Amino acid sequence: MDDKTVKQWFGDSFIRFEKSLNGESTSPLHLVRKKGFEKFSMLEFPTHRNEEWKYTSVKPLLNYRFDPNSGIVDISKEDIEKYLYDESIYSTLVFVNGKYYEKLSDLSKLEGKLEIMPLVKAIKSGKDEAINFALEILDKDADIFSSLNTAFMMDGTYIKVNDDAVVDSPIQIIYVTSADKETVTNPRNVFIVGKHASVKLIETYAGLNETPYFTNTFTIVKVDEYGSIEHTKVQDETRNSFHISTLEVNQKRGSHYAGYNVNFGGSLVRNNLNIHLNGKETETTLNGLALSKGTQHIDNHTLINHLEPHCNSHQLYKSILDDSSRIVFNGKIFVKQDAQKTNAFQENKNIILSDSALVNAKPQLEIFADDVKCTHGATVGQLDKDALFYLKSRGFSHKEALATLIYAFASDAVHSIQLPLVRDKLEVILSEKLLTPALS
Amino acid sequence: MLVIKDLKVSIEGKDILKGINLEVNKGEVHAIMGPNGSGKSTLAQVLAGREEYEVTGGEVLFEGKDLLELSTEDRACEGLFLAFQYPIEIPGVSNTNLLKNSLNSIRKYRGEEELDAMEFLTLIKKKMAMVEMPQDLLSRSVNEGFSGGEKKKNEIFQMAVIDPKLAILDETDSGLDIDALRTVAKGVNKIKSEENAIVLVTHYQRLLNYIVPDFVHVLYQGKIIKSGDKTLAHELEERGYDWVIEEYNAKKS
């Protein structure tokens, strides 16, 4: 379909959406949505002519009429069992087709230290931050996908960790799509970490059946002075699905953001990760791990914006490509004039298992301060044949040897995750994915 | 245990082994010696299943099975072990991990129960003491940053844990100082039994002072040109290889 038809489709969908809101169409939330829709209408879908989309075409995505108005369906615990961690420790929020699913959620372990609720509830109960952030982003450089997210903003997770609170229970947020027609969900997350507070989060994105769907997610993270957050996102969507995400992180003085961006699924995936260092002495880890097979296309665009002095950022992106899949890594580092004594490190390592896979790696450093240390590097290689033979000569099957070497290659991108259960599960998923042939 | 009949092997069209005949029975130690480039390491690698080599003729039976039909991993599971001349460094995979996986793959192949964590640890400790393996090497990545001696010790340690029927030690003595050589040899002697067999591939005689072979074979230009008992090794050490080669050429013409 052409641009116009797609936008017409979303325009009609927006009208249907408004009708379904039943008297809420004058609420502050809906006014934001309207603004989002206006912005969406003014923008165009990106093409290869757009530098930021040079290696990634959204055309396949525009071939579907993804419905933003799909209703919720009932799912059982078994459906999401494999994504869950130990329930005696973890707190869980489950969303089905973009809507909060209370039946499988459990927030009982979190009392007192933070506010946590579905986003819509947060906005209705006057948590103005959630709305203000949405407007702030819209006024600045929201692209067509984040504007679409705002227009159809329905649900998502609102977390505000109180100052000085240390949240012991890791919080898992699961977004699943389970629809029998082509569906788009627009999850919106707002994570606010108070002064000297600390929290650990895992976002999981998955699909429960083979119908094509589109996840268009937008996450805003604010880390106040000396606050700390570990934020892992595991994208394990189905092979027919589309996943586009934008992450906006804002760090204040002395804060720590550790982000892990793990991508296994999806036919077309684009993640925009923008980290703004708005205070001195911040620490940022921004790691990525991706495994692509078949004709999967996974694109990670990162931006670390050093605005203040004495900040450290550390990026390690690793990917493994098989079949005729493609991975794009574009890593921008801006060091603004005031950001003296910046320490910025970026490394991108790729392993290609087939002859027809392709990597596009593009580091992009723009440095305006004169007393900084910035390093970057990108490599593309193959698995070490001698190491494979060595393991096989010790009795490892070919697949085991392959999985072992690949995990060894990949593990340092995720080994600093502080949650052992999460690390273990990533290892299991990785070897499972490696051992199953790609659907073509 | 191992019967090699007229084995011919080439790599990239070049003939390396030109008709090897060798029989190894259990309880025996064989030494395969020879000048550089004679095909010693090729023989070791082919037996372990290295794919780059092409077998152009002959056959190899291991416990009555056609060895050349088996994959590298199945050969290992059947009880064949190669101690590498240049052990491979594998960053990110710990020694413990390698051994656990290795043992359990082999046990699974043989229809045995996998070892639980406790049983595995007990076994590892016993074998470490047996071959004088320092504890800290266990948790480190396989061979990563190991000295030459540590790498060779690690091969022997793996051999002790896996407990193969037939072990081929490819130039295990190369690059070792005399103390390391003694430790390695001591380990091998402890592993050696009436039930297993060992093939030592070596350029020099010095290892054979510590691990005494029952048979010594001289490999030259892809063929075994002379076989004898341990006295042959001493003779080679004293007189070099030239006289054997001359003797062989004289016989040929």
Side-chain angles (χ1 to χ4, degrees):
Chain A
M1 291 190 285
D2 59 24
D3 245 55
K4 223 175 126 190
T5 320
V6 177
K7 287 172 88 175
Q8 182 65 47
W9 161 255
F10 280 117
D12 296 343
S13 297
F14 193 70
I15 294 166
R16 282 202 300 278
F17 181 50
E18 284 189 311
K19 278 184 186 152
S20 74
L21 290 173
N22 200 11
E24 268 181 45
S25 58
T26 52
S27 69
L29 169 61
H30 196 64
L31 295 179
V32 176
R33 287 182 185 138
K34 275 187 168 158
K35 277 196 145 187
F37 187 72
E38 273 168 32
K39 182 118 190 193
F40 168 80
S41 310
M42 287 182 322
L43 295 167
E44 281 174 11
F45 285 104
T47 66
H48 290 305
R49 286 190 301 276
N50 183 329
E51 188 60 29
E52 295 299 314
W53 292 84
K54 199 171 166 186
Y55 304 111
T56 299
S57 167
V58 297
K59 266 201 174 137
L61 173 72
L62 306 181
N63 283 331
Y64 294 91
R65 288 172 193 273
F66 287 117
D67 191 345
N69 297 309
S70 288
I72 200 160
V73 295
D74 254 322
I75 65 163
S76 69
K77 198 167 170 187
E78 288 72 50
D79 292 328
I80 56 165
E81 191 90 61
K82 68 171 175 169
Y83 302 109
L84 295 170
Y85 301 97
D86 186 344
E87 290 158 77
S88 64
I89 309 170
Y90 282 67
S91 303
T92 314
L93 285 94
V94 179
F95 293 82
V96 179
N97 297 345
K99 291 168 195 78
Y100 184 56
Y101 196 68
E102 199 167 1
K103 205 168 93 185
L104 296 179
S105 302
D106 174 18
L107 303 177
S108 59
K109 286 180 277 300
L110 293 169
E111 277 158 18
K113 292 183 172 172
L114 76 170
E115 296 175 73
I116 181 168
M117 58 191 86
L119 184 76
V120 172
K121 194 173 161 196
I123 293 173
K124 282 179 186 161
S125 50
K127 309 286 175 202
D128 291 341
E129 297 104 319
I131 282 208
N132 291 341
F133 291 158
L135 287 171
E136 198 181 301
I137 300 288
L138 268 183
D139 285 344
K140 287 198 294 184
D141 38 14
D143 69 356
I144 190 161
F145 292 107
S146 45
S147 305
L148 181 70
N149 177 286
T150 305
F152 289 98
M153 193 193 328
M154 190 61 213
D155 226 332
T157 306
Y158 172 86
I159 294 176
K160 187 177 183 187
V161 184
N162 300 340
D163 289 353
D164 303 311
V166 174
V167 182
D168 303 315
S169 171
I171 302 166
Q172 188 186 17
I173 307 164
I174 304 181
Y175 290 97
V176 293
T177 302
S178 174
D180 47 16
K181 63 176 172 182
E182 294 158 5
T183 295
V184 53
T185 63
N186 295 286
R188 162 82 61 136
N189 300 308
V190 176
F191 305 143
I192 304 164
V193 184
K195 289 178 184 155
H196 298 274
S198 112
V199 67
K200 295 183 176 72
L201 299 174
I202 308 103
E203 281 178 73
T204 304
Y205 292 86
L208 299 185
N209 63 29
E210 293 301 313
T211 312
Y213 65 90
F214 172 27
T215 305
N216 180 37
T217 171
F218 196 139
T219 300
I220 295 159
V221 180
K222 299 244 166 180
V223 197
D224 212 334
E225 290 177 10
Y226 303 98
S228 147
I229 178 170
E230 180 177 295
H231 180 200
T232 303
K233 180 186 157 203
V234 181
Q235 181 277 109
D236 194 12
E237 311 269 26
T238 65
R239 289 288 158 81
N240 304 321
S241 67
F242 299 84
H243 182 100
I244 292 182
S245 79
T246 300
L247 169 72
E248 292 284 339
V249 178
N250 201 314
Q251 286 188 250
K252 290 220 175 126
R253 181 176 186 148
S255 65
H256 189 184
Y257 175 82
Y260 301 90
N261 173 23
V262 181
N263 288 278
F264 293 128
S267 67
L268 172 61
V269 176
R270 165 66 175 250
N271 298 305
N272 304 300
L273 302 98
N274 304 316
I275 319 293
H276 306 279
L277 310 180
N278 276 313
K280 293 175 188 171
E281 294 151 11
T282 58
E283 290 284 335
T284 308
T285 300
L286 197 63
N287 286 4
L289 172 60
L291 170 67
S292 65
K293 299 174 81 171
T295 55
Q296 278 182 283
H297 183 113
I298 298 173
D299 176 349
N300 288 307
H301 266 60
T302 68
L303 161 66
I304 302 218
N305 194 4
H306 280 267
L307 299 157
E308 296 273 344
H310 295 282
C311 294
N312 296 328
S313 68
H314 193 281
Q315 278 185 88
L316 178 61
Y317 262 77
K318 291 206 160 183
S319 20
I320 303 114
L321 297 91
D322 203 353
D323 308 318
S324 50
S325 62
R326 189 166 176 184
I327 282 186
V328 180
F329 174 72
N330 189 106
K332 270 188 210 166
I333 297 174
F334 290 165
V335 181
K336 297 290 160 66
Q337 210 160 0
D338 291 340
Q340 298 294 0
K341 304 283 179 194
T342 285
N343 204 339
F345 171 89
Q346 182 191 90
E347 197 177 8
N348 173 221
K349 286 188 166 184
N350 305 280
I351 276 192
I352 294 193
L353 304 175
S354 74
D355 293 334
S356 44
L358 181 67
V359 174
N360 297 106
K362 192 176 158 202
Q364 207 179 327
L365 275 64
E366 291 180 26
I367 301 167
F368 301 99
D370 52 16
D371 186 12
V372 301
K373 210 169 123 193
C374 295
T375 55
H376 68 90
T379 58
V380 179
Q382 286 168 330
L383 271 192
D384 182 355
K385 280 199 178 119
D386 291 331
L388 261 182
F389 177 66
Y390 190 75
L391 291 180
K392 287 199 263 183
S393 81
R394 299 299 182 249
F396 284 59
S397 71
H398 181 73
K399 283 178 171 178
E400 276 169 357
L402 210 63
T404 303
L405 290 180
I406 286 173
Y407 189 73
F409 163 79
S411 60
D412 59 348
V414 291
H415 84 264
S416 52
I417 293 178
Q418 300 292 308
L419 302 168
L421 291 177
V422 175
R423 283 200 311 266
D424 291 352
K425 188 156 285 196
L426 286 177
E427 182 173 4
V428 171
I429 302 176
L430 189 64
S431 30
E432 262 175 23
K433 301 267 171 191
L434 281 168
L435 301 183
T436 32
L439 302 167
S440 48
Chain B
M1 179 181 284
L2 179 76
V3 182
I4 305 177
K5 288 182 198 159
D6 199 27
L7 179 66
K8 290 176 182 156
V9 171
S10 71
I11 183 162
E12 290 165 357
K14 196 179 164 224
D15 295 331
I16 309 282
L17 299 182
K18 299 167 186 166
I20 301 276
N21 290 289
L22 182 69
E23 192 173 334
V24 179
N25 298 305
K26 65 178 185 180
E28 293 177 354
V29 177
H30 288 245
I32 296 178
M33 303 183 71
N36 285 330
S38 56
K40 300 188 301 286
S41 280
T42 300
L43 179 61
Q45 299 267 321
V46 166
L47 293 177
R50 188 93 193 189
E51 280 164 11
E52 284 85 339
Y53 296 97
E54 193 193 345
V55 176
T56 51
E59 64 173 336
V60 181
L61 298 175
F62 181 58
E63 300 269 71
K65 284 184 184 153
D66 185 351
L67 187 77
L68 301 177
E69 282 298 306
L70 298 175
S71 64
T72 300
E73 55 269 33
D74 285 355
R75 293 178 199 199
C77 294
E78 288 285 346
L80 186 130
F81 179 87
L82 172 66
F84 281 57
Q85 182 180 3
Y86 304 109
I88 312 296
E89 297 192 8
I90 313 182
V93 179
S94 72
N95 258 328
T96 317
N97 215 332
L98 171 98
L99 286 169
K100 201 171 191 173
N101 246 308
S102 170
L103 263 182
N104 284 334
S105 298
I106 294 170
R107 293 181 72 93
K108 215 160 82 186
Y109 181 89
R110 295 177 183 165
E112 296 164 8
E113 287 267 314
E114 293 188 9
L115 292 181
D116 65 32
M118 227 25 230
E119 293 167 324
F120 175 73
L121 217 68
T122 315
L123 177 76
I124 290 290
K125 281 199 172 145
K126 195 176 114 193
K127 301 291 182 173
M128 277 174 76
M130 183 171 167
V131 299
E132 297 172 29
M133 176 83 175
Q135 175 103 34
D136 66 306
L137 293 190
L138 206 57
S139 56
R140 281 165 60 185
S141 287
V142 178
N143 296 323
E144 192 188 25
F146 285 27
S147 69
E150 285 172 333
K151 283 183 182 170
K152 296 298 173 79
K153 270 187 208 166
N154 198 22
E155 293 293 286
I156 301 309
F157 171 55
Q158 289 178 22
M159 173 178 159
V161 173
I162 292 170
D163 196 14
K165 291 178 193 158
L166 174 68
I168 302 163
L169 275 52
D170 189 5
E171 307 257 1
T172 296
D173 50 339
S174 69
L176 291 186
D177 63 34
I178 192 70
D179 290 329
L181 183 73
R182 277 197 192 123
T183 319
V184 163
K186 217 161 104 187
V188 174
N189 282 327
K190 282 187 189 160
I191 302 167
K192 196 177 85 178
S193 79
E194 281 308 305
E195 292 307 309
N196 60 26
I198 293 169
V199 175
L200 304 166
V201 174
T202 178
H203 190 73
Y204 300 105
Q205 190 261 341
R206 63 176 195 156
L207 177 67
L208 308 182
N209 288 335
Y210 300 98
I211 309 171
V212 182
D214 302 300
F215 302 93
V216 174
H217 311 277
V218 178
L219 191 63
Y220 175 66
Q221 290 189 345
K223 283 191 159 185
I224 289 175
I225 59 170
K226 194 174 179 68
S227 296
D229 60 15
K230 62 180 178 186
T231 56
L232 176 59
H234 290 290
E235 222 174 328
L236 290 169
E237 182 74 1
E238 269 169 38
R239 299 172 62 192
Y241 288 107
D242 289 351
W243 65 278
V244 191
I245 294 166
E246 276 164 28
E247 204 180 277
Y248 167 70
N249 285 336
K251 221 188 293 172
K252 216 168 53 172
S253 56

